[in-house]
Amino acid sequence: MELGILLLRVFLGLSVAAHGCQKLFGWFGGAGPEGTGGFFTKLGFRQGRNMAVLAGLGELGGGLGLALGLLTPFAAAAVIAVMAVAIATVHFEKGFFATEGGFELPLTNAVVAAGVALLGPGRISVDNALGEPLGGLWWGVVAIVLGLAGAAVVLGIRAAGRRREQAPTP
């Protein structure tokens, strides 16, 4: 079981962190903060570049935290938040399957992150080495609630910005 949790944590964590590097640094074929920010602006975020940096930091920090098993429920919450925003703003309207640009992959990432938070980071983790295994039902629920709350805040900011843009000017 320990190796299974480690495999899930490391694979998901490094995959998500790589997406953060695409947004933050333009690595791995990414557009960097300017290009990703332009895309975010088209999605309706008023400060697209800032939101791209925020998403990149969530992916990089959350991904590395999961890979290391460091502050695991909070790392999972960051991944859940970014994936929930991606689903709501980009993927949901395209249906389920990734082949059509749907929400299959971000949902899988969020569910695996939640599962890791519920299971805990395992013995092969920084959390365990520090004597804080931070896992189980309570921590899993905390991760899910924080992740969805974070996504709700970001989506609320987007909605407020869109309303301001559509409001008539006096």
Side-chain angles (χ1 to χ4, degrees), residues 4-170:
I5 294 170
L6 176 66
L7 180 66
L8 287 172
R9 271 194 7 251
V10 170
F11 179 79
L12 175 65
L14 293 181
S15 296
V16 171
H19 283 276
C21 289
Q22 288 180 313
K23 290 173 182 66
L24 293 171
F25 312 116
W27 296 353
F28 311 119
E34 296 303 325
T36 306
F39 175 67
F40 276 41
T41 298
K42 288 179 185 175
L43 291 175
F45 290 100
R46 288 190 68 189
Q47 297 194 5
R49 185 183 189 286
N50 292 343
M51 296 307 274
V53 168
L54 181 64
L57 289 171
E59 288 176 328
L60 181 59
L64 291 178
L66 278 178
L68 294 169
L70 175 63
L71 300 173
T72 303
F74 302 103
V79 171
I80 292 166
V82 175
M83 295 302 120
V85 172
I87 290 168
T89 59
V90 177
H91 300 282
F92 189 77
E93 67 186 23
K94 298 174 185 173
F96 178 73
F97 292 102
T99 53
E100 303 299 321
F103 58 90
E104 179 181 12
L105 181 59
L107 180 61
T108 299
N109 290 345
V111 169
V112 172
V116 168
L118 287 161
L119 288 169
R123 287 188 308 210
I124 309 167
S125 66
V126 174
D127 286 345
N128 190 60
L130 296 174
E132 297 293 335
L134 299 180
L137 179 61
W138 165 249
W139 283 112
V141 170
V142 166
I144 293 165
V145 169
L146 285 177
L148 294 177
V153 168
V154 170
L155 293 171
I157 290 168
R158 176 181 178 244
R162 293 175 94 179
R163 281 193 301 273
R164 265 186 251 132
E165 286 177 359
Q166 295 171 352
T169 316

